[in-house]
Amino acid sequence: MSEQNTTEQKKLIFSGIQPTGTFTLGNYIGAIRNWKPLQEDYRCIYCVVDEHAITVKIDPAKLRQKTLEAYAQLLACGIDLDKSLLFIQSHVPTHAQLSWVLNCSTQFGELSRMTQFKDKSQRHPDDINAGLFDYPVLMAADILVYNADLVPVGADQMQHLELARTIARRFNGRYGDTFTVPEGYVAPVGAKVMSLQEPTKKMSKSDENPNAVILILDDKDTIIRKCKRAVTDSETEVAFREGKDGINNLLTIYSAVTGKSIEDAVKEFAGQGYGTFKMAVGEAIADHLAPVREEYAKLIADKAYLKECYTRCGAEALRYSQRVLNKVYKKIGFIPSEIR
Ligand code: ATP
Ligand code: LTN
């Protein structure tokens, strides 16, 4: 973030993404691609949330690799370090420190109602750990430790964001005005991209079926093959309406990557079969993602550059968030520490 940006009174954005795998088209359309244009009007702080990623079992070598790859993918998607900060969550200890404090302003019942917790504990019944339960409090800390105004996320994260708002209000009520109550920002198109194999379920990085998911680094042939295999329905008409989940999803994706409205897309494919439509969707996705893939290949080959970027941004994020954490500690009655 440039000096000029930090001193201007622009509103502040925070968002994060887990390095649990290569990013999907869902992550991209629902979240990441909106991060780039927001840099023009806001001070943006973006984070690879590796501490969130360990709430489900992940091999250490895989986590290390996926964290670096996630960092490079975000740069490849257009995060500009002259305008924004992009860092790794575990490098900035203030997030975890604040989350402990916020735990004490969060109710057990509130966390028990989180849909993601219920889903993930069903999917991992052998490891329903306290971190998984507490996940939304760390997310609240990520946001509140910067006093972020706006949080761009996919629709599935709105429940967590609502909880972050509740926690901020509760803390402010108890200790006096401390935190900004953040607003969520959900993209107008593609806030929930669905699985290509089960179009009533969201497309997710951790899906075990590779055909259900398009990865932003997939090559053209793979993307087209996955689109051709996408589950649709027994009709033949390309139309956007209830009951046509598979086609609705492909139309949404097509609209998101081409910038055409869904209405225009429906007209474009009037009278054409699903085969032609799926092929066109696959090509449009591949064309849209080609520059990201090219840029990513260059970035991931330059580990020294990546290290320099995440170190510099992490240090700045720490300086900024430490000020907020100090204020919080003072308000709750902790004796100021001289230990440095
Ligand atoms: P995992 O499968 O590991 O739980 P995920 O694919 O659901 O991960 P996250 O890291 O939890 O992805 O989410 C990163 C961002 O992408 C969030 O803002 C989330 O709302 C958004 N997102 C995730 N999946 C989709 C989707 N299918 N459609 C739109 N946005 C999505
Ligand atoms: N829980 C989010 C990732 C995340 C996040 C954040 C998003 C962690 N901390 C703070 C926005 C703001 C998810 O997408 N699964």
Side-chain angles (χ1 to χ4, degrees), residues 53-200:
I54 62 165
T55 56
V56 296
K57 279 193 193 123
I58 182 163
D59 171 64
K62 180 177 171 193
L63 179 61
R64 225 176 338 263
Q65 183 195 344
K66 292 296 168 195
T67 301
L68 196 66
E69 289 177 4
Y71 194 89
Q73 284 171 65
L74 290 173
L75 287 179
C77 290
I79 303 306
D80 176 352
L81 300 186
D82 288 331
K83 298 183 180 132
S84 307
L85 293 181
L86 175 62
F87 64 95
I88 297 168
Q89 188 185 33
S90 63
H91 292 181
V92 183
T94 45
H95 297 220
Q97 288 171 301
L98 180 63
S99 81
W100 180 255
V101 172
L102 299 182
N103 273 328
C104 305
S105 285
T106 309
Q107 298 302 304
F108 182 89
E110 288 169 329
L111 291 175
S112 313
R113 284 194 286 278
M114 294 293 116
T115 319
Q116 182 178 294
F117 171 68
K118 290 192 243 173
D119 285 354
K120 289 203 176 176
S121 29
Q122 255 175 21
R123 273 195 275 147
H124 308 276
D126 58 330
D127 187 22
I128 308 177
N129 62 76
L132 189 64
F133 186 66
D134 204 30
Y135 178 115
V137 181
L138 179 58
M139 175 163 162
D142 294 337
I143 300 165
L144 302 183
V145 85
Y146 299 97
N147 274 320
D149 299 284
L150 200 66
V151 183
V153 281
D156 65 307
Q157 292 300 311
M158 281 312 276
Q159 193 188 28
H160 287 163
L161 190 75
E162 210 35 70
L163 181 60
R165 288 164 55 82
T166 303
I167 297 172
R169 282 199 215 95
R170 187 172 295 142
F171 188 98
N172 289 347
R174 190 161 162 198
Y175 297 105
D177 240 12
T178 310
F179 295 122
T180 305
V181 179
E183 301 284 336
Y185 170 85
V186 174
V189 181
K192 196 163 183 188
V193 175
M194 310 311 266
S195 153
L196 297 185
Q197 291 301 312
E198 285 175 78
T200 49

Side-chain angles (χ1 to χ4, degrees), residues 35-334:
W35 294 8
K36 182 179 166 182
L38 290 168
Q39 297 178 117
E40 304 310 322
D41 299 316
Y42 297 88
R43 293 154 57 201
C44 296
I45 303 183
Y46 297 127
C47 185
V48 178
V49 292
D50 53 350
E51 291 170 330
H52 279 101
I54 62 165
T55 56
V56 296
K57 279 193 193 123
I58 182 163
D59 171 64
K62 180 177 171 193
L63 179 61
R64 225 176 338 263
Q65 183 195 344
K66 292 296 168 195
T67 301
L68 196 66
E69 289 177 4
Y71 194 89
Q73 284 171 65
L74 290 173
L75 287 179
C77 290
I79 303 306
D80 176 352
L81 300 186
D82 288 331
K83 298 183 180 132
S84 307
L85 293 181
L86 175 62
F87 64 95
I88 297 168
Q89 188 185 33
S90 63
H91 292 181
V92 183
T94 45
H95 297 220
Q97 288 171 301
L98 180 63
S99 81
W100 180 255
V101 172
L102 299 182
N103 273 328
C104 305
S105 285
T106 309
Q107 298 302 304
F108 182 89
E110 288 169 329
L111 291 175
S112 313
R113 284 194 286 278
M114 294 293 116
T115 319
Q116 182 178 294
F117 171 68
K118 290 192 243 173
D119 285 354
K120 289 203 176 176
S121 29
Q122 255 175 21
R123 273 195 275 147
H124 308 276
D126 58 330
D127 187 22
I128 308 177
N129 62 76
L132 189 64
F133 186 66
D134 204 30
Y135 178 115
V137 181
L138 179 58
M139 175 163 162
D142 294 337
I143 300 165
L144 302 183
V145 85
Y146 299 97
N147 274 320
D149 299 284
L150 200 66
V151 183
V153 281
D156 65 307
Q157 292 300 311
M158 281 312 276
Q159 193 188 28
H160 287 163
L161 190 75
E162 210 35 70
L163 181 60
R165 288 164 55 82
T166 303
I167 297 172
R169 282 199 215 95
R170 187 172 295 142
F171 188 98
N172 289 347
R174 190 161 162 198
Y175 297 105
D177 240 12
T178 310
F179 295 122
T180 305
V181 179
E183 301 284 336
Y185 170 85
V186 174
V189 181
K192 196 163 183 188
V193 175
M194 310 311 266
S195 153
L196 297 185
Q197 291 301 312
E198 285 175 78
T200 49
K201 220 181 81 181
K202 84 161 185 152
M203 184 182 284
S204 169
K205 274 191 240 103
S206 48
D207 200 312
E208 270 142 37
N209 181 352
N211 286 325
V213 174
I214 290 175
L215 303 177
I216 65 169
L217 302 177
D218 277 345
D219 61 36
K220 188 166 189 166
D221 289 349
T222 308
I223 294 175
I224 291 176
R225 182 168 38 79
K226 288 178 177 177
C227 284
K228 279 189 184 158
R229 289 190 187 160
V231 168
T232 49
D233 52 57
S234 52
E235 300 175 359
T236 51
E237 188 197 358
V238 176
F240 193 96
R241 63 168 177 261
E242 223 183 304
K244 293 179 77 72
D245 299 318
I247 294 292
N248 293 351
N249 190 36
L250 292 175
L251 278 167
T252 304
I253 293 173
Y254 186 74
S255 158
V257 296
T258 58
K260 295 175 187 171
S261 69
I262 289 188
E263 223 179 15
D264 286 348
V266 168
K267 278 187 206 142
E268 190 180 337
F269 295 102
Q272 300 190 44
Y274 285 177
T276 316
F277 171 57
K278 285 175 169 182
M279 185 77 189
V281 175
E283 287 197 346
I285 299 170
D287 290 348
H288 186 86
L289 292 177
V292 173
R293 255 184 101 219
E294 273 168 38
E295 189 58 25
Y296 173 78
K298 283 187 225 149
L299 286 160
I300 200 65
D302 194 347
K303 305 280 189 291
Y305 172 71
L306 295 175
K307 184 174 177 188
E308 183 201 314
C309 295
Y310 62 67
T311 306
R312 177 171 61 77
C313 290
E316 194 170 332
L318 179 60
R319 266 196 303 279
Y320 189 97
S321 56
Q322 189 68 57
R323 287 202 296 268
V324 178
L325 186 69
N326 289 348
K327 194 167 145 194
V328 170
Y329 275 8
K330 202 168 162 193
K331 290 216 171 185
I332 57 184
F334 289 170

